């Protein structure tokens, strides 16, 4: 009788340790999501700031400046629900403004343009990486949260279900080709 109780107790302790380990893993994944989201937000803000600065520098023609400034301003001011759309529109505006390699060369030839073009190139290259890291973390947490043990024992607690950040983040080819 006591041997049976000991085995039941050992099994319950093992299950408890396993569930605790799983809850800790899920908590670490949620912390990783928060960190990658902060990094993504920083990269998106940097890209919008550089684009806005370039639009107001007087290097671009007036039409391109207006398009780029409005898209960058909208991306910086967007509410959370509209953020993905605003950032996608900024990507489209960047591709439209820098579709022509001569536009990139005109920016580079202006005083301080080389540094501005380099900074914009770095910003548009870092956004897809930051988004990929964030979405990978979200995917890992979602896969773990879909397991029955996590749902049955409510190991996720009250944490919101993680959502991926979906946006058009394709960089302008004229910027990327020149930098490569």
């Amino acid at each position: 009788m006591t041997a049976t109780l000991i085995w039941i107790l050992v099994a319950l302790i093992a299950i408890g340790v396993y569930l605790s380990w799983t809850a800790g893993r899920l908590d670490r994944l949620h912390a990783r999501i928060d960190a990658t989201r902060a990094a993504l937000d920083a990269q998106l803000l940097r890209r919008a700031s550089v684009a806005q600065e370039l639009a107001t520098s007087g290097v671009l023609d007036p039409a391109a400046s207006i398009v780029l400034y409005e898209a960058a301003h909208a991306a910086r001011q967007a509410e959370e629900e509209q953020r993905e759309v605003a950032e996608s529109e900024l990507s489209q505006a960047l591709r439209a403004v820098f579709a022509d390699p001569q536009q990139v060369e005109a920016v580079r030839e202006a005083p301080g343009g080389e540094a501005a073009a380099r900074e914009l190139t770095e910003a548009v290259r870092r956004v897809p990486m930051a988004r990929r890291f964030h979405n990978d973390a979200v995917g890992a947490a979602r896969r773990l949260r879909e397991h029955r043990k996590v749902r049955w024992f409510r190991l996720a607690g009250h944490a919101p279900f993680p959502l991926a950040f979906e946006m058009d983040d394709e960089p302008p080819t004229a910027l990327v080709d020149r930098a490569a």
Side-chain angles (χ1 to χ4, degrees), residues 59-60 97-109 174-175:
V59 174
L60 302 173
V97 169
F98 295 107
D100 186 12
Q102 290 149 349
Q103 180 79 317
V104 177
E105 289 305 317
V107 169
R108 290 183 189 282
E109 290 170 2
L175 277 176

Side-chain angles (χ1 to χ4, degrees), residues 11-162:
L12 287 175
I13 289 173
I15 290 171
V17 166
Y18 178 70
L19 290 176
S20 175
W21 176 81
T22 303
R25 180 173 170 225
L26 191 58
D27 186 53
R28 287 188 303 276
L29 283 172
H30 281 118
R32 188 172 130 206
I33 289 171
D34 291 342
T36 58
R37 180 57 190 243
L40 175 61
D41 286 342
Q43 292 304 321
L44 291 171
L45 181 63
R46 179 172 182 241
R47 180 181 76 152
S49 297
V50 170
Q52 205 169 19
E53 185 178 313
L54 189 60
T56 58
S57 68
V59 174
L60 302 173
D61 64 89
S65 292
I66 290 171
V67 167
L68 194 58
Y69 180 83
E70 287 180 355
H73 181 70
R76 289 182 72 178
Q77 300 298 320
E79 297 292 325
E80 192 60 35
E81 300 83 32
Q82 299 298 319
R83 184 95 187 266
E84 293 173 353
V85 173
E87 294 294 346
S88 293
E89 289 173 354
L90 177 56
S91 295
Q92 292 165 2
L94 284 166
R95 282 196 307 272
V97 169
F98 295 107
D100 186 12
Q102 290 149 349
Q103 180 79 317
V104 177
E105 289 305 317
V107 169
R108 290 183 189 282
E109 290 170 2
E114 185 68 36
R118 187 177 336 105
E119 192 173 353
L120 182 61
T121 301
E122 290 173 9
V124 298
R125 282 184 160 181
R126 288 179 180 172
V127 167
M129 288 187 291
R131 189 176 73 88
R132 195 171 315 119
F133 290 146
H134 173 70
N135 288 349
D136 287 348
V138 166
R142 288 176 117 174
R143 284 189 296 278
L144 185 58
R145 285 183 71 150
E146 289 172 354
H147 289 187
R148 273 182 256 147
K149 66 180 176 262
V150 173
R151 289 192 321 260
W152 289 350
F153 292 102
R154 300 176 189 252
L155 298 181
H158 297 289
F161 195 73

